[in-house]
Amino acid sequence: MNTPEPRDHPEYPPLQGGSEDFLNYDPISVADSKARVAVLFPVAEEIKTLLLEAGFPVDHFDPMSRDAQSGVCLAVDPGMGISVLWRLPAELSSRFKDAVCGTAADPGVIVHSDTVRSAMSGALAEILRANGYPLVVGENDLEPYEIYVQGARLP
């Protein structure tokens, strides 16, 4: 019986910005991921407060929930930072899904929903940048308007 030789894991560069305490983490380690979430969670709460004060509806992402709320969705991702994503209102989201997956494709609905998501993502990014948060925008091909806050506010 041949056993495979252990492979070295690739070295991932640390995230940019934020506290030096959590930038030198091992992305393979569960303990480091938990520590990174513990550091990022208070930053997510600051962002939630900031966006609520700006008048945005904010919801923490719950992967087990089928009832997606419209508005800003926040989730802590130990590998990327804090995910900030605008979700479409239920009616527009439903119309978008019908336009894409249904038999009566409606390009107007598709363009409209994309325009709304783009505009809201841009507004959120500007608010976060103006308040000193280090951001990465458009890194996720599946969610091109997703914003990743990579740490605490810069001084």
Side-chain angles (χ1 to χ4, degrees):
M1 173 187 226
N2 292 341
T3 57
E5 293 182 29
R7 296 185 338 181
D8 290 333
H9 292 288
E11 288 294 320
Y12 294 98
L15 296 176
Q16 304 284 323
S19 170
E20 292 296 321
D21 295 338
F22 65 88
L23 287 179
N24 297 320
Y25 73 99
D26 175 10
I28 308 303
S29 168
V30 172
D32 286 342
S33 291
K34 287 181 180 178
R36 184 153 167 81
V37 167
V39 170
L40 288 173
F41 192 77
V43 178
E45 288 297 319
E46 284 178 19
I47 292 169
K48 178 181 177 181
T49 301
L50 172 72
L51 295 175
L52 284 170
E53 288 174 356
F56 288 96
V58 178
D59 182 39
H60 283 285
F61 178 67
D62 179 5
M64 301 308 288
S65 173
R66 297 205 179 264
D67 300 325
Q69 299 290 324
S70 65
V72 179
C73 178
L74 296 176
V76 175
D77 178 345
M80 290 296 293
I82 301 160
S83 167
V84 182
L85 181 65
W86 177 261
R87 288 194 184 185
L88 295 171
E91 181 181 334
L92 184 54
S93 180
S94 175
R95 289 179 60 204
F96 173 74
K97 288 176 187 171
D98 289 345
V100 171
C101 301
T103 57
D106 184 351
V109 171
I110 295 170
V111 170
H112 178 69
S113 63
D114 191 58
T115 302
V116 169
R117 291 181 67 202
S118 174
M120 294 309 293
S121 178
L124 291 168
E126 282 303 311
I127 289 169
L128 294 169
R129 270 192 201 103
N131 283 278
Y133 289 100
L135 305 179
V136 172
V137 180
E139 289 289 312
N140 184 348
D141 290 340
L142 298 176
E143 286 289 352
Y145 301 118
E146 190 166 20
I147 301 165
Y148 291 103
V149 177
Q150 295 190 312
R153 292 180 191 212
L154 299 174

